[in-house]
Amino acid sequence: PHPAPPHMAAAASCLPTPPPLRIVLKSHDKLTQISMKLTWTDEQGQEQAWNSWEDALCGRFGATKLLPSTSRNVEVRFRVQPGGRKVHGVDRRNKCAWSNQGEEVITLRQTGHEDSQRHIDVWFELRGPITHCHVWRAWNTCNGGNPEDWEHWPDFPADRLAPPPMTLQAADRAATWPGNRETQAYSPKSDRSEDEDPAASVAMAMARLVAAAEALLVVRKQTLRSLEELNEQLTKQWYRVNSGNTVAAGLAVASFGSLFVAPPIGLALGAGSAAAGVGSTASDAVGEHGKSRSLNKLVEEDLCEQLGFETVEAELRMALESAAAWQGPRQRAA
């Protein structure tokens, strides 16, 4: 058998491709509806903003936001809803005593700080009534054992750790992440040695992209199957709920007519109508809640894979730009 290419043999010993940033908000006691506001700077230097209260895929007691791995200057703020009351800061290491900092603002990956390259998978858990709601616990699962001052969660559950996207895992198996190279071959502004072959960098980027695309195709097929199953479940639920509402309406009409000729029977039919209506409504609400959570999880996983693929796609674009910048001076010199 032919030996594996050197870049594939070294892939396992190199750093993996940075995954997308994940920021999760949860309510511990669900005494208060909460939301989260984010601002960040994207790869092009443009400031972006997001509000979970305005996102249809976010609930009233929790939210999750995924950002590209190149995002910087991330700021996280919290609100109590309805009304948008600001959440005041506390000292989580001192039994959540109120602090003098005012509004609770968490800053991540600030430009120029030593943590500007740190991976982010942050969980925030709020608790308390509307007038005393605060960030009870906070933790970055990617802190490498060196938590920042705002982090405190002694018994963080291990099952909340998120695996890297399949697209990035596949790309790393195909070739090493460009960030491992000291020459920074994918940066069009970096200085290149005369011995460096830009075609090799482009070939490695293409191999990573092909592997990521194949992984994304598998994920998208699974997403499609899950959506079809969810649609089938919703259709069955619709039939059940409408059948229940029809029975409740029929019993109500019969109850009204029976009140004049047989009041006891009318009352019994009325009670049956109310029970059928309440049962149908409750069943619909429970079903909607469960399927809404399933849909949110499905969209989150698919978006994570999409962001991973876009990261690998950007690597190829940068490799091509770098190769073009390298070839230009050589052609002029020739």
Side-chain angles (χ1 to χ4, degrees):
H2 296 286
H7 65 270
M8 294 184 65
S13 60
C14 296
L15 293 174
T17 307
L21 280 60
R22 185 172 70 154
I23 303 174
V24 183
L25 172 70
K26 296 292 183 182
S27 173
H28 175 72
D29 48 24
K30 296 186 177 181
L31 293 178
T32 307
Q33 297 184 17
I34 55 177
S35 66
M36 176 171 59
K37 299 178 70 174
L38 299 182
T39 58
W40 71 94
T41 304
D42 62 19
E43 189 176 13
Q44 288 74 36
Q46 302 294 320
E47 184 171 326
Q48 306 293 336
W50 174 82
N51 187 347
S52 68
W53 194 251
E54 300 171 355
D55 192 329
L57 292 177
C58 294
R60 297 305 182 230
F61 300 101
T64 300
K65 181 61 176 177
L66 295 170
L67 300 178
S69 61
T70 54
S71 302
R72 296 289 183 271
N73 302 320
V74 182
E75 289 190 353
V76 188
R77 291 176 169 82
F78 310 93
R79 296 289 184 268
V80 174
Q81 302 292 348
R85 179 177 177 272
K86 297 179 181 179
V87 173
H88 197 282
V90 297
D91 183 358
R92 280 173 285 280
R93 300 173 187 268
N94 185 26
K95 300 181 179 179
C96 290
W98 296 113
S99 67
N100 297 323
Q101 70 183 62
E103 179 186 1
E104 182 84 70
V105 181
I106 306 297
T107 58
L108 308 168
R109 300 187 109 187
Q110 295 297 300
T111 301
H113 290 195
E114 59 181 9
D115 69 337
S116 61
Q117 301 295 327
R118 174 174 289 191
H119 298 174
I120 299 297
D121 182 22
V122 181
W123 288 73
F124 298 106
E125 192 166 84
L126 276 64
R127 70 180 300 180
I130 190 170
T131 56
H132 292 77
C133 187
H134 59 277
V135 181
W136 180 40
R137 300 186 290 195
W139 194 253
N140 179 16
T141 66
C142 301
N143 60 25
N146 298 309
E148 298 188 46
D149 293 339
W150 53 265
E151 296 181 60
H152 185 69
W153 198 323
D155 55 347
F156 185 84
D159 59 354
R160 293 187 178 182
L161 300 177
M166 292 176 57
T167 48
L168 295 185
Q169 294 184 52
D172 288 340
R173 287 193 297 268
T176 59
W177 172 50
N180 286 298
R181 302 171 206 161
E182 295 181 358
T183 57
Q184 295 297 319
Y186 282 9
S187 174
K189 297 181 180 179
S190 61
D191 296 331
R192 287 179 172 272
S193 66
E194 292 296 327
D195 297 331
E196 188 176 348
D197 182 10
S201 296
V202 174
M204 293 175 68
M206 181 61 73
R208 286 172 56 83
L209 183 63
V210 170
E214 292 175 349
L216 183 61
L217 180 60
V218 173
V219 171
R220 285 288 159 85
K221 287 181 178 179
Q222 179 60 41
T223 300
L224 180 59
R225 286 194 295 268
S226 299
L227 288 174
E228 290 174 346
E229 293 174 0
L230 183 61
N231 180 63
E232 183 178 353
Q233 294 172 6
L234 287 172
T235 301
K236 292 180 180 179
Q237 178 181 327
W238 182 84
Y239 280 121
R240 288 196 300 268
V241 171
N242 278 272
S243 298
N245 290 337
T246 301
V247 171
L251 291 175
V253 172
S255 172
F256 180 76
S258 301
L259 285 175
F260 299 99
V261 293
I265 297 178
L267 292 175
L269 291 174
S273 173
V278 171
S280 178
T281 301
S283 175
D284 187 39
V286 172
E288 287 288 345
H289 178 70
K291 292 176 178 61
S292 176
R293 294 182 60 182
S294 299
L295 178 61
N296 292 347
K297 186 66 174 178
L298 183 65
V299 172
E300 177 187 333
E301 293 176 350
D302 190 87
L303 177 58
C304 186
E305 299 293 346
Q306 175 66 30
L307 290 175
F309 176 79
E310 291 177 359
T311 297
V312 181
E313 187 179 33
E315 294 171 3
L316 176 60
R317 184 171 61 252
M318 295 178 67
L320 292 171
E321 293 174 356
S322 184
W326 183 77
Q327 286 288 353
R330 291 174 62 90
Q331 292 177 351
R332 287 193 294 270

